[in-house]
Structures are given as C-alpha cells and as structure tokens.
Amino acid sequence: MNVTRREFFIKTIPGATLLALPITLGPFLESCNDQGTNPTNPGSTLQTINAALANGSVVINIDSSSPLANTGAAAIVNYQSGSVLVDHPASSTFNAISPICTHQGCGINNFDSKTSQFVCLCHGSRFSVDGQVAQGPASAGLHKYQTTFSNNQLTIKIV
Ligand code: FES
C-alpha cells in the first residue's frame, strides 16, 4: 500500500496535537520583542584592544595610551578565540567579564559611561561593571574572570 507523506502526516498527528503545539511550547520560548528593544541610551561603541591568549591568560599593558588608562574607562579585549569586556572602575582595579549577553546570546559591545553600564543593543539589557544585571530582560549576570594588576600589566585568567 502506498501512503503519501500528506496522508501519513494526517493519520499520525491528530489535529488537536497541532493546535496545542504553540500552547505547549509557548512558555519555553523567550520573546525577542518583549521589552527594551532599541535602548534609548545605548552609550558608545567600545574601543578594542587586541591581545594574545597564552597559557590560559590574556596580558595587556595599561600605559597612558591604553583605552583603559583612565579610571571609569572600558574596552573590549579581543584575543584569538574570543573577547572579554574590561573596565577600570578605580585605581589599579580592573574587571573582566564575558561579552555574551545572558538573555539571548548577543555580543555586548557598548558602554554607557554616564551610568557605568555595559549595554546590549539587542533588547536593551544593561550590566554593571562587575557583570551584575542592572536592567533586564536579561535575568542572569555576566561571567566574571579573575584579574591581577601589577607593573602596569593586567592579566585576565580566561581558563
Ligand atoms: Fe536580549 Fe541581550 S540578547 S538583551
């Protein structure tokens, strides 16, 4: 007996099941347009610093020409296999956090210096300089990496 694909589909999946799929899956799918799209104060695109990952760490020099030289500054540090957001909140203090938004995975590339917050342009989530959520829709903070600063060298332990 030959059964077409259409006949097989109709016989094996009752109509009520098809109608129930959106209701069943709805709570598990996060809406892209729920809130915060097009943030009103996105700040500025971060300056980039290129660095090398070696022995599980990224080391960058913080001299007077560095985008991170001044207190309150932030930048994105790119290395071979990824990148990390870095900010300089106080003298000799640096934070290094993941640039991957915990909402839906967009790359964070903006910093609002007025509020000292990283801004995700996809849906407007904002994160404090230590990676905590300042404004949703993201509900989880950004991963924070261990840093050390000595002799004008910032070491970020990636792995
Ligand atoms: Fe939605 Fe970042 S991916 S706010």
Side-chain angles (χ1 to χ4, degrees):
M1 176 172 102
N2 284 339
V3 178
T4 66
R5 256 193 253 168
R6 183 166 192 246
E7 289 168 338
F8 176 79
F9 190 71
I10 290 170
K11 287 179 182 174
T12 56
I13 302 179
T17 304
L18 288 175
L19 292 174
L21 277 176
I23 296 168
T24 307
L25 296 176
F28 301 104
L29 299 175
E30 198 166 3
S31 170
C32 292
N33 300 315
D34 47 2
Q35 53 184 304
T37 303
N38 298 322
T40 54
N41 189 6
S44 304
T45 302
L46 289 162
Q47 286 189 266
T48 59
I49 297 172
N50 293 319
L53 175 66
N55 301 318
S57 295
V58 170
V59 179
I60 54 176
N61 285 321
I62 309 292
D63 58 21
S64 60
S65 66
S66 170
L68 291 167
N70 297 324
T71 300
I76 188 161
V77 176
N78 296 324
Y79 55 93
Q80 300 96 314
S81 54
S83 57
V84 61
L85 301 173
V86 179
D87 62 85
H88 184 182
S91 179
S92 299
T93 303
F94 293 85
N95 293 311
I97 56 178
S98 168
I100 307 300
C101 183
T102 56
H103 177 226
Q104 291 183 353
C106 286
I108 299 169
N109 199 28
N110 270 46
F111 185 71
D112 180 358
S113 59
K114 291 180 186 156
T115 58
S116 295
Q117 293 173 341
F118 292 101
V119 183
C120 178
L121 298 185
C122 283
H123 311 102
S125 289
R126 303 174 75 91
F127 299 88
S128 66
V129 289
D130 64 352
Q132 299 301 305
V133 176
Q135 176 182 301
S139 58
L142 302 172
H143 176 75
K144 190 171 179 180
Y145 297 97
Q146 181 183 346
T147 61
T148 54
F149 183 65
S150 176
N151 297 323
N152 290 337
Q153 284 201 321
L154 174 64
T155 302
I156 304 165
K157 190 171 171 65
I158 301 294
V159 287

